[in-house]
Structure formats: C-alpha cells, structure tokens
Amino acid sequence: MMENDETPIPEFGWQEKRWKAISATTVAGPNPSGSKTGAFTDTGTATASGDANAKFALAAFAKVRVYLNTVEYFRLEMVVKLFKTGTGPAGPVATGTTDVSGRVTAVNGTGAPYVEIEVTQAQANLLNTAVASVGKGLYVIGTAYAEGSGSSYGGKIKFPYTVANYTQIFKTPFELTRTAMKAPVDYDKTGVYADMVKDNGIDHLAQLEMAAMFGERGMTTKIDPSTGELVSLRFAGGLRWFLDQWEKGSLAAGGAVDYGQPDVSAETDWLATPNKRVIKLGGGTITKAAFSEINSRVFEQTNASDWSKLCLCGPGYLNKVVDSYERQVQYTSLREQGFKGFDFELVKHSSNAGTVYYKTHPLFNDPIYRNSAFYIDLGYMGYRPLTDSDTDIEKMIQAPDADKRKDQWLTEAGFEIRFPEAFMYVEDLGGITL
C-alpha cells in the first residue's frame, strides 16, 4: 500500500520543509526588581517596568520593550500581538488577561533578544510579574507601513532539511534434505517444499511489517567470518521510531532528527501537550472528548486531499471505537480508492477533522498490541527497496556438496516516513466513555 521507490544506496534520505508562523515566547527581562520579574522593560533600557506592585499602563502608540526567547524573522514594521498577558487593578496578582497589539519599532538579537513595540490601543493595569507575562505567545499578524514609505526588510527563507533512514537486510532461510523432499505427504499433493515456501514467506513478510512499524534505526559494523572484512550492519527505522524522534524534537534533546520543536517525549499529560504523537494510555479509559482530540490532532498535518487516515489496530481497539460510536460508523469496501490493488473491508468513522478508516491488523491480535493502534497517512509513507533487492526467493544456496536444498526469502529495504506529525501511535486503550 505504500509508495514504492527503489534506492541505489543503503542510506537514503528525503527533504522536509514546514511552514511555521513567525512567533516567539516571552521570557523574563535581564534586571528583575522586587515583584517586577516579567518580560517588560521601558524602551531604550533594561529597567523593569512597573510600580511597586509591578503594575504599569501604556497610552495609545506608547512604546514598550518585550524580551523573547527568539527574534528570528522579526523585522521592523511588523504588526505583532501578545496574547493573554496578565492584568490586575490592584496588587501584583493577575485577576484577568488582555491581548496587546502593536508595531515593531526595534529588534535586538544580540545578548538577550527583545523587540520594542508601539501599541495601537491604550492599556491599563498591565502586570510585569513572571506569572502574568512570562511564557506568553507573541505572533506576527501582518505589517503596517506609512503612506509613501519604502520597504524596510527582505523576506525570510527557510531551507528544507534532510531526514535519513537505512535499508535493512531481511533473510528467512529454509532447507530440506534430499530425502525429506522425496517423502510423500498426505496434506499437500505438491510436497512439503511448497508448504515451506509459503510458511516462511508469511514469516518473512510479517517481520517486514513489524519492522515498518517498530524498527529502530541504527548502524554498526561486524566482521564477516568468511572473509575477515569489516562490513556494515544496518537497522531500518520504523514508524514508531520516527514518532519518538518527532517527540524529542531536536538533536540537542537527544533526537536523531532536528525537527525544531521542544522535547515532549517525557510529557505524561498528552491532552495538554499538542505535539504528542505517542499516546500511552496504560489501559485507562478516556472520554469521548479526549478521543475526539486524538482524531483531530492526527489531522493537523495531512497529505490526503480527501482528509482521510488509515488506522491499523487490534480487535480490542476497534471494539471500543465501535461500541462508543455505533451509530456513526459505516462498513465499507474500498476498491481502487486510495488502496489500489487491494479489496479491504473497513470501518469508516467521520469526524469534524477528517475520515478515519479502521482496519484490524492480524499482527495486532497478540495481547501486547490488542488495544493499540497506528494512525497512518499513506501519502507520507514510502517503501524503499535497494535496487534489485525487493522481496524474492534466492534458490539453491546450499553448499555444492550438501545433500539437501536450501533457499531463502531475501529483502533489503527501508522505510520513508515524511512528516511524522501526520501519524500517531495510541497504546493500550482501555475504553471510551461519555
């Protein structure tokens, strides 16, 4: 079902480029004083704004300095909006929030980054405490130029980056002695050899599927005992491995790919962590609202023009979905509709975010996976066999003097998984309640 594209080399890569709104998060200013521990200072100075209660006001078109975690791509004349900064009519404790909008009049990227903004509306009772003003989002919402003015900056450019995976050599050998091949069998008129080809082929393909889902990328070396040569030993990364890298977010956090986001791999409150894509429920029961969050989150990035995903799951997972959404699920057979060459009986569930097609996976009948599921965007997943090394049988590989026949199933391939945020793994769903 995956896109099939051969690779001539065992380490292959692809490029990913994401659009992201120009934004930053407020941080504490460099010179806190008393309760004035927030992100605001007066323009032209690092002196913290506010009175003894850290409270201050701004007239319309007055200026204020805001310290940020980054000023990348911020430029003069941009219009920005600071969301949910704290306010309070008395004392240093916030009793409400407000949004502050203004035009950028200064940008500093040396030392502690900050921007200075000229606010468009008067603001009263702004609080400059850490709780009220640190960790807030500042977003670019446009530009504003005076009549007759020239442009003050050039556009941004963000180059795509390369993500890599390895091909892995899969072998499933099987053999029979010459005598055993001659012996008749009651259950198969063609002999035992054909049965061995089938059984070992099923094992081989099942292992390929498990590697596509759970393989962990790695590469080392070993000595070839027949030649003494140092050769490569490679492991292909599967879907779960790429989801783990997405959650780690960057090389600095110990990930293998620099996706440019904070490390959320250790977060346990998945509902409060929008970038989580590995949802470990531990057998717990979740509400329909939480399940709706799962269904909508996986559609935040999608390659399908019909906004659909395939959910490969265990029978226990599907049972819980059907029990909770009995009147909203449909049973359908897809022929030549996104699954060319396959005739699948699927359970279809439409939500506000998109359509999920559920299919129980035979390998998920095991108790370990019975209540778990992968949400898959087939448009972002590819199968990459090494040139002339896709799955086939190598025949007659026994030693020349061996009184037997030995064959093997052989595959060398890896998996391309682009934009892992379009996928999700849900583990051990206990149930769905109102």
Side-chain angles (χ1 to χ4, degrees):
M1 293 171 61
M2 293 182 286
E3 175 188 348
N4 192 320
D5 188 14
E6 288 189 344
T7 173
I9 53 176
E11 181 177 353
F12 57 93
W14 58 93
Q15 291 187 326
E16 296 182 11
K17 185 176 182 179
R18 291 167 172 78
W19 180 88
K20 185 178 180 181
I22 301 175
S23 64
T25 302
T26 57
V27 299
N31 295 312
S33 174
S35 60
K36 296 183 286 185
T37 56
F40 299 110
T41 73
D42 299 332
T43 57
T45 177
T47 302
S49 297
D51 59 18
N53 288 320
K55 186 171 64 178
F56 68 103
L58 294 170
F61 302 107
K63 297 178 182 180
V64 67
R65 179 180 292 186
V66 185
Y67 283 85
L68 304 168
N69 65 328
T70 179
V71 291
E72 185 179 20
Y73 304 130
F74 281 85
R75 300 291 186 270
L76 303 182
E77 317 302 336
M78 284 182 168
V79 179
V80 296
K81 192 153 195 172
L82 177 63
F83 289 92
K84 298 181 181 179
T85 192
T87 62
V93 178
T95 57
T97 62
T98 189
D99 301 333
V100 180
S101 182
R103 181 178 65 94
V104 176
T105 59
V107 179
N108 174 70
T110 303
Y114 65 79
V115 296
E116 294 186 355
I117 61 174
E118 181 183 70
V119 300
T120 53
Q121 300 289 332
Q123 297 286 344
N125 301 319
L126 292 174
L127 283 173
N128 195 23
T129 62
V131 172
S133 65
V134 171
K136 310 301 180 180
L138 182 76
Y139 288 81
V140 173
I141 61 171
T143 56
Y145 285 87
E147 291 185 20
S149 63
S151 300
S152 61
Y153 67 93
K156 72 172 184 177
I157 182 169
K158 186 174 184 180
F159 295 101
Y161 58 91
T162 300
V163 184
N165 202 358
Y166 305 132
T167 60
Q168 182 173 325
I169 300 173
F170 299 82
K171 293 182 181 182
T172 306
F174 51 97
E175 61 183 52
L176 280 173
T177 66
R178 176 183 53 81
T179 304
M181 292 180 65
K182 301 295 184 183
V185 289
D186 295 333
Y187 61 87
D188 187 350
K189 292 181 180 180
T190 61
V192 71
Y193 174 77
D195 201 50
M196 286 194 68
V197 171
K198 177 183 176 181
D199 288 348
N200 285 278
I202 292 173
D203 285 346
H204 185 81
L205 294 176
Q207 291 164 20
L208 271 170
E209 288 193 25
M210 292 300 282
M213 291 184 282
F214 295 106
E216 295 192 3
R217 195 188 79 177
M219 183 167 59
T220 185
T221 57
K222 65 175 296 185
I223 300 294
D224 184 341
S226 63
T227 64
E229 294 283 342
L230 191 67
V231 295
S232 293
L233 174 60
R234 296 178 300 276
F235 300 85
L239 179 52
R240 174 61 193 276
W241 184 84
F242 278 95
L243 290 174
D244 288 339
Q245 305 317 305
W246 165 258
E247 292 208 341
K248 290 178 181 177
S250 65
L251 301 177
V257 183
D258 204 351
Y259 286 117
Q261 67 160 14
D263 182 3
V264 298
S265 60
E267 295 291 338
T268 56
D269 187 355
W270 64 271
L271 281 169
T273 313
N275 281 350
K276 287 288 288 183
R277 291 297 182 272
V278 177
I279 312 299
K280 296 182 179 181
L281 300 176
T285 297
I286 62 175
T287 63
K288 280 193 173 182
F291 191 73
S292 294
E293 171 65 20
I294 289 174
N295 278 337
S296 63
R297 187 175 296 185
V298 79
F299 282 99
E300 291 177 7
Q301 175 79 30
T302 185
N303 190 46
S305 58
D306 62 347
W307 290 86
S308 66
K309 303 277 183 177
L310 174 65
C311 179
L312 293 181
C313 58
Y317 191 94
L318 181 57
N319 289 342
K320 294 172 178 63
V321 173
V322 173
D323 287 345
S324 296
Y325 294 90
E326 184 175 1
R327 296 183 180 180
Q328 300 176 33
V329 299
Q330 302 174 25
Y331 296 87
T332 183
S333 177
L334 294 185
R335 294 180 175 88
E336 309 297 326
Q337 298 180 27
F339 306 97
K340 190 172 182 179
F342 296 85
D343 182 8
F344 274 171
E345 297 292 335
L346 299 168
V347 175
K348 174 182 174 182
H349 174 219
S350 297
S351 68
N352 292 336
T355 301
V356 179
Y357 293 96
Y358 294 89
K359 176 64 179 175
T360 54
H361 194 292
L363 298 176
F364 277 33
N365 289 337
D366 190 284
I368 295 177
Y369 313 113
R370 181 178 175 82
N371 295 306
S372 301
F374 275 109
Y375 289 79
I376 295 172
D377 192 316
L378 287 172
Y380 283 140
M381 196 170 186
Y383 175 65
R384 302 294 300 274
L386 192 70
T387 303
D388 299 325
S389 300
D390 201 355
T391 306
D392 202 355
I393 297 178
E394 280 192 321
K395 299 179 179 180
M396 309 295 285
I397 61 172
Q398 70 277 1
D401 61 345
D403 186 21
K404 60 183 176 181
R405 174 172 176 174
K406 182 178 181 181
D407 297 349
Q408 70 177 2
W409 288 94
L410 174 66
T411 305
E412 181 168 359
F415 312 100
E416 182 174 322
I417 298 171
R418 303 183 294 275
F419 298 95
E421 66 269 33
F423 302 77
M424 183 179 287
Y425 178 63
V426 180
E427 185 176 84
D428 291 335
L429 173 65
I432 304 171
T433 67
L434 294 176

